Amino acid sequence: VLDQADRSFRQRLSAIRELFGHVPTFYPNCSLEQATFEVDNEDLEDSLLFAKFADLLVLKGEKHPLAYAIDGAGEQAYFNHGNLRPTQPKASRPCFDYRPDFPHELRWRAWLMSPSGPTMVITDERMPVVQLIVCYGVHNGTHLDHLSHFSRSEPSRIEFGEGILLSESLAMSAEMLAGAEALTKGNADLCDVVRDNLIERLGRIPLPHITDYSAGYVSAQAKASREFRSLPTFASAYSVGAVRLIRKRYADPLIPHEIASEFLKRWDAVCNENREIQSMYLAMLDPR
């Protein structure tokens, strides 16, 4: 499977192994070209819905200075902006594991269940302040809260396999909800960041060339990511998966009832305040 993945994944895996010594010969060949895939019609329909949702988030924010997660800004975003996400930790506080010496470009998934409980690995990551708030306060915050509902003996249920697809769809639907609430409240900075995030995630899918449908769709095509082109199922979890999770109203064995009910409560509230969001939400519930 790794031999079919994008070269960047193979290079990252080899580079991490090299931190601990010689890379074994059985590691994936970094010189092979990646496999390619095409999106099917069903995925395309939900991709278009996702793009149209991004188009609603039209408020334009301002530029902000960089914030440094390694200096504590990521952890602060989780605790100080928990109101932006509909999830809360079930029990103890999550752990933030600071690794200033670990190359940030080699870190990929930063959230995990460690012996200490739900954990976020912090490297020397820097991004504009509002982007960091969405990253750690909304997206990664949702992951940490979701993890807290599982025992430390069963982390693989949402860290790997079909569970991680569900986890990413949940975190992205949290971003969509945060964007909808930001639009309703006139929070241009947050709205702008979420829109950019949605477009970047959509660009991970091998989208067919369409130029006359949606500004968000066209932007996603322009920002297409090679890294995910050989992982279409995983890539679609961030966009198509989020739409489908909304469609089934968060009914999934891996989503605790209290999380699902809070998502639905907040979607209902924002729909009552914004007719455009309501129309788009209803379209995702019933695309026909």
Side-chain angles (χ1 to χ4, degrees), residues 25-179:
T25 56
F26 60 79
Y27 264 53
N29 187 342
C30 294
S31 64
L32 293 176
E33 291 299 322
Q34 70 180 110
T36 57
F37 299 85
E38 294 182 358
V39 65
D40 61 31
N41 290 336
E42 188 177 357
D43 282 357
L44 177 59
E45 291 177 5
D46 286 332
S47 296
L48 295 174
L49 283 173
F50 190 80
K52 288 186 71 174
F53 183 91
D55 287 343
L56 293 180
L57 308 182
V58 293
L59 301 182
K60 192 65 179 175
E62 300 178 357
K63 291 185 177 180
H64 289 267
L66 293 178
Y68 297 81
I70 202 71
D71 291 338
E75 183 174 355
Q76 291 169 13
Y78 172 83
F79 289 111
N80 296 343
H81 297 279
N83 62 306
L84 296 178
R85 62 184 186 271
T87 59
Q88 294 297 324
K90 184 177 181 180
S92 59
R93 291 160 57 102
C95 301
F96 289 82
D97 184 2
Y98 288 84
R99 299 297 180 98
D101 298 327
F102 187 82
H104 173 66
E105 65 275 11
L106 299 185
R107 191 198 72 172
W108 202 62
R109 175 165 66 89
W111 54 275
L112 70 154
M113 182 72 85
S114 75
S116 300
T119 299
M120 179 66 60
V121 177
I122 304 288
T123 55
D124 189 11
E125 183 176 28
R126 59 200 73 181
M127 61 184 78
V129 173
V130 181
Q131 186 178 347
L132 185 139
I133 288 172
V134 173
C135 178
Y136 286 92
V138 181
H139 189 102
N140 285 335
T142 299
H143 283 311
L144 289 177
D145 294 345
H146 192 198
L147 272 176
S148 74
H149 287 261
F150 295 84
S151 71
R152 297 176 191 179
S153 64
E154 56 178 7
S156 61
R157 294 187 67 193
I158 61 170
E159 286 192 75
F160 305 101
E162 292 185 358
I164 195 173
L165 303 181
L166 183 280
S167 296
E168 295 299 352
S169 296
L170 184 68
M172 285 310 302
S173 75
E175 287 201 40
M176 294 171 72
L177 178 57

Side-chain angles (χ1 to χ4, degrees), residues 232-277:
T233 302
F234 192 41
S236 67
Y238 293 88
S239 51
V240 171
V243 171
R244 291 176 182 170
L245 190 57
I246 291 171
R247 180 170 304 141
K248 65 180 186 179
R249 298 181 66 81
Y250 299 91
D252 191 282
L254 293 180
I255 298 180
H257 173 74
E258 52 265 50
I259 289 181
S261 61
E262 188 62 24
F263 265 97
L264 295 175
K265 176 183 174 182
R266 287 178 62 161
W267 273 117
D268 286 345
V270 74
C271 285
N272 287 336
E273 294 184 37
N274 188 302
R275 294 299 181 187
E276 287 185 316
I277 294 295

